[in-house]
Amino acid sequence: MEGDELKDLDCQRTMDGWESSNNGSGKAILIPACCLKARASQPELGSKSHSTVVSGWLSETQPSSDKSGKQVYFNNPMWPGEAHSLKVEKILFQEKSKYQEILVFESSAYGRVLVLDGILQLTEKDECAYQEMIAHLPLCSIESPKNVLVVGGGDGGVLREICRHSSVELIDICEIDQMVIDVSKKFFPELAIGFEDPRVCLHVGDAIEFLKQAPEGKYDAVIVDSSDPVGPAQELVEKPFFKNIGRALRPGGVLCNMAESMWLHTHLINDIIYICREIFKGSVHYAWASVPTYPSGVIGFLLCSTEGPPVDFVHPINPIEKLRGALEFRRELKFYNTEIHEAAFALPSFVKREVAALH
């Protein structure tokens, strides 16, 4: 397709909710609008999502206004055309912090649920899958990790899992919203127990600024438990953020970053992987896990290592079953094991085709 024809196609696709990008590859490709970080700058999509409980059900929707000024609700821009709902038995907490609206409710099927700006973050029933995988995928891939940084993770669940590793001496956590921590301690004590470990050092503030000030090569592992990349969280999937992580990691250090759903966001996954391949000269892999209450029922993880001692993410060198007391530390592991670890890197054929950066 020649110049003007391609230009016309791009314009038409933009009108239909698509835009073009090269993802750092040098080749123009078309990206669905739901996967564009740039959507955060669009006024009609930049408004905060809100926890909408209607007729006893929580639905993840986003408020806006129609042409007459009447308030209407649309699906979240990260997964247009679908809604995710849970039956609400009782609202336990609802308040707006400096940064976001926080909702906690008792559900009929999944226990207590934490919702931030209308987006479900965790439930008591299936939080184990996400927390265990995002922590143990990186930490079981390197020998004797000592210094670990958690970005986000204010509910404490990632901390709880890191603490199973007796070799760890320091766990820095940088969470921007103190209210998330306080709410978790009150309503989710099985997660917030992670804050009680003496190895944990809490920093309440902006993780981007924290990483800029971090000593070079300080951490063996960085775990980014972030929200979806829209609005303020957009910066957490930009190149400068990953560059600062790379600088803060030792040679052969590892990053594990939440990386969306392969069913919904292969273009966004592609974008992040291209950036990370430029920065992390060791290896870059994509893994996934089943989490029933997340959109599409799965969530992805990006695993990267810096240049240095090679890291084999697929075959853990530090298997959890051989770590003394790790399986039962504070509570028994519910989801993660070495078989699950290795299987997490097996990708469906459509992902291998669509995520070109994996090739």
Side-chain angles (χ1 to χ4, degrees):
M1 190 174 292
E2 298 298 329
D4 290 340
E5 291 179 89
L6 179 60
K7 186 182 297 183
D8 290 343
L9 175 61
D10 283 349
C11 290
Q12 180 62 45
R13 290 295 185 122
T14 301
M15 290 173 65
D16 291 339
W18 290 58
E19 291 189 21
S20 62
S21 171
N22 62 25
N23 280 331
S25 66
K27 295 182 179 180
I29 62 173
L30 296 173
I31 300 178
C34 66
C35 296
L36 282 169
K37 298 187 295 295
R39 281 177 68 89
S41 65
Q42 296 181 19
E44 69 273 19
L45 295 172
S47 58
K48 291 280 188 180
S49 295
H50 289 271
S51 309
T52 309
V53 178
V54 179
S55 300
W57 290 78
L58 174 107
S59 294
E60 296 175 328
T61 57
Q62 179 155 331
S64 187
S65 300
D66 62 16
K67 293 180 179 179
S68 68
K70 180 182 177 181
Q71 188 176 63
V72 293
Y73 290 90
F74 296 100
N75 301 121
N76 186 281
M78 288 297 291
W79 43 90
E82 57 186 289
H84 305 271
S85 301
L86 287 180
K87 185 170 178 55
V88 178
E89 295 294 338
K90 182 181 180 181
I91 294 177
L92 303 174
F93 179 90
Q94 188 167 20
E95 192 170 324
K96 192 172 182 63
S97 75
K98 181 180 177 182
Y99 301 98
Q100 57 204 334
E101 183 187 71
I102 302 174
L103 170 71
V104 178
F105 68 90
E106 190 77 38
S107 71
S108 60
Y110 286 89
R112 289 184 175 180
V113 180
L114 175 65
V115 182
L116 301 180
D117 275 344
I119 308 302
L120 189 149
Q121 303 297 310
L122 64 88
T123 78
E124 286 183 310
K125 184 173 183 177
D126 65 5
E127 57 86 7
C128 58
Y130 178 81
Q131 315 285 4
E132 292 177 16
M133 291 294 278
I134 200 172
H136 303 309
L137 285 173
L139 297 185
C140 289
S141 297
I142 56 177
E143 286 191 276
S144 303
K146 291 182 172 57
N147 298 321
V148 181
L149 169 64
V150 178
V151 173
D155 52 72
V158 175
L159 297 178
R160 180 194 67 201
E161 296 306 316
I162 295 172
C163 291
R164 294 181 189 272
H165 294 258
S166 58
S167 65
V168 172
E169 299 172 356
L170 170 70
I171 311 169
D172 279 330
I173 175 170
C174 189
E175 163 63 51
I176 198 168
D177 198 336
Q178 179 67 51
M179 188 180 289
V180 171
I181 299 169
D182 296 339
V183 167
S184 183
K185 287 180 177 180
K186 181 174 181 179
F187 295 103
F188 300 93
E190 281 205 3
L191 286 95
I193 194 173
F195 286 104
E196 298 177 10
D197 194 286
R199 293 170 288 178
V200 172
C201 184
L202 172 62
H203 308 268
V204 178
D206 184 354
I208 294 172
E209 293 303 315
F210 181 86
L211 274 164
K212 287 179 181 178
Q213 304 301 320
E216 184 174 351
K218 177 178 181 178
Y219 298 107
D220 299 289
V222 174
I223 298 172
V224 181
D225 178 13
S226 61
S227 55
D228 294 305
V230 292
Q234 176 183 340
E235 291 184 88
L236 300 185
V237 291
E238 300 288 357
K239 187 180 290 186
F241 178 68
F242 288 114
K243 278 187 175 180
N244 285 324
I245 290 177
R247 185 186 59 81
L249 284 168
R250 64 160 172 82
V254 296
L255 161 69
C256 186
N257 200 100
M258 189 280 288
E260 300 299 340
S261 166
M262 62 187 179
W263 290 105
L264 302 173
H265 303 119
T266 52
H267 292 82
L268 179 56
I269 294 165
N270 226 339
D271 192 29
I272 298 173
I273 292 176
Y274 271 120
I275 291 172
C276 287
R277 283 203 183 280
E278 288 185 31
I279 296 166
F280 297 94
K281 302 303 183 181
S283 59
V284 177
H285 288 270
Y286 184 81
W288 61 282
S290 169
V291 184
T293 52
Y294 285 171
S296 83
V298 301
I299 194 68
F301 308 97
L302 190 63
L303 281 300
C304 308
S305 63
T306 58
E307 189 173 13
V311 177
D312 182 359
F313 285 113
V314 180
H315 305 100
I317 195 174
N318 190 29
I320 197 81
E321 293 85 358
K322 293 185 178 180
L323 302 181
R324 186 175 178 181
L327 299 180
E328 293 82 22
F329 183 81
R330 291 193 167 166
R331 82 167 196 176
E332 190 176 8
L333 276 172
K334 294 183 178 181
F335 189 88
Y336 177 87
N337 56 48
T338 295
E339 291 78 16
I340 287 286
H341 181 123
E342 294 177 349
F345 293 90
L347 300 178
S349 297
F350 81 89
V351 176
K352 291 182 180 180
R353 289 193 300 268
E354 293 181 21
V355 184
L358 288 170
H359 302 160

